[in-house]
Structures are given as C-alpha cells and as structure tokens.
Amino acid sequence: MEPDTIAQSPKTALLVLGCPQVPVQTSIALYLVSRLKSAGITPVIAGNKAANTLMVVADPDRHYIGEVMDLDRAVAQITEKKRDFDRCFVFIHNDAGISYAATMGAISKAKLYVLVYGEHQEDLVQQITFPCTKIAAKAVHNPLPLKKAIDEVAPWAA
C-alpha cells in the first residue's frame, strides 16, 4: 500500500492595481509579476479597466502577465469564498488604495502586502493601521526606489 500523499496546490498571488495615474504602477506590477513567476507563484492581476488595459498592452504576448480580471469581480469571488490567494499585493497611491487594502485584509486569508508610492506616500503609510507588510517609496516616475524597497522585503521568498 502506497503512503498517502498530499498534493500541494500551487502558490498564488493577487495584485490589486489602483487607478494608473502614477506612472510607476505598471512597470512595478510587471516587475513583481516576473519575480513571483520566477519563484513559482502564479500571479493574478485585478484592477479597473484602465489599469488592466495598460498591463495587457505592455505585455501583448503575455510573457509575464497571465490572468487579468476586473477588481470588483476579484472582490466578489473572494467574498463569496469561490477563490482566495496566498499573497495579496495592493498598490496604493491614494485613499482609495487604502480602502481596497483594508477590504482585502478583511476578506482574504492572503498574506497582505501594501505597496505605497507617489508624492504623498509618507502620509498614506501613516493612515494604514491594519495588519500588513508595508513597502513604501517616494516613487512617481522612477520605479527604482520602489523596486529597491520590494527587493529588500523579497515577498516572493516569504
């Protein structure tokens, strides 16, 4: 008789994209997707139509991005217990991003990471009082400060 083996399901990560008015969001999302995939973690992108369209146009052959879905649909699937993720990365450059992060923290079992960037990132970080790993940098046009902050945390290795 063969011993019972428990098949582990692949690790997954949800990337919650905000309004793409801050230029670094798309490049950092693509960078994070690449790092997650290299670590064997399947990323799913959820955002509004503009954010999702920027991702799809930036990677038309889908070398990096895979599944892309409407953010409201992702929230509904998690709320209805139809789906969940191991990690959740919420991109924050305004108050709406904080609200989405708080929502994800409340409805999902995922380890929550918040990526806070933009001109007012210090003020936004101060408003985040729920449990999460904060990754922050004053990045608007240049993604390198936020990339460096992400690399220091290495959330794909956690």
Side-chain angles (χ1 to χ4, degrees):
M1 179 178 225
E2 292 183 34
D4 290 342
T5 57
I6 299 172
Q8 284 192 316
S9 58
K11 298 282 185 197
T12 58
L14 180 66
L15 281 70
V16 176
L17 303 182
C19 177
Q21 73 187 71
V22 179
V24 299
Q25 178 174 270
T26 301
S27 62
I28 289 297
L30 284 169
Y31 173 73
L32 186 55
V33 163
S34 174
R35 293 303 305 254
L36 291 167
K37 286 180 91 173
S38 293
I41 301 166
T42 302
V44 174
I45 295 167
N48 66 21
K49 186 173 181 158
N52 289 347
T53 300
L54 282 170
M55 294 297 292
V56 170
V57 168
D59 187 18
D61 295 325
R62 303 263 176 133
H63 293 290
Y64 294 103
I65 63 172
E67 183 179 357
V68 178
M69 66 172 26
D70 178 75
L71 179 53
D72 292 332
R73 186 172 140 234
V75 170
Q77 286 184 354
I78 295 168
T79 302
E80 295 166 4
K81 307 274 188 242
K82 293 180 179 175
R83 188 171 195 183
D84 210 344
F85 300 86
D86 300 298
R87 293 171 177 82
C88 180
F89 298 87
V90 180
F91 287 67
I92 299 173
H93 73 275
N94 59 24
D95 292 341
I98 294 172
S99 296
Y100 273 110
T103 298
M104 290 300 175
I107 66 173
S108 175
K109 68 170 180 59
K111 178 163 177 47
L112 182 61
Y113 297 87
V114 296
L115 298 131
V116 188
Y117 54 96
E119 289 289 330
H120 306 289
Q121 60 90 16
E122 291 175 2
D123 295 332
L124 294 168
V125 167
Q126 296 300 319
Q127 295 175 45
I128 299 169
T129 58
F130 46 87
C132 63
T133 300
K134 298 174 189 173
I135 302 171
K138 189 171 185 173
V140 177
H141 293 96
N142 179 2
L144 293 179
L146 188 54
K147 177 194 173 294
K148 180 181 178 191
I150 292 167
D151 289 345
E152 289 173 0
V153 174
W156 45 84

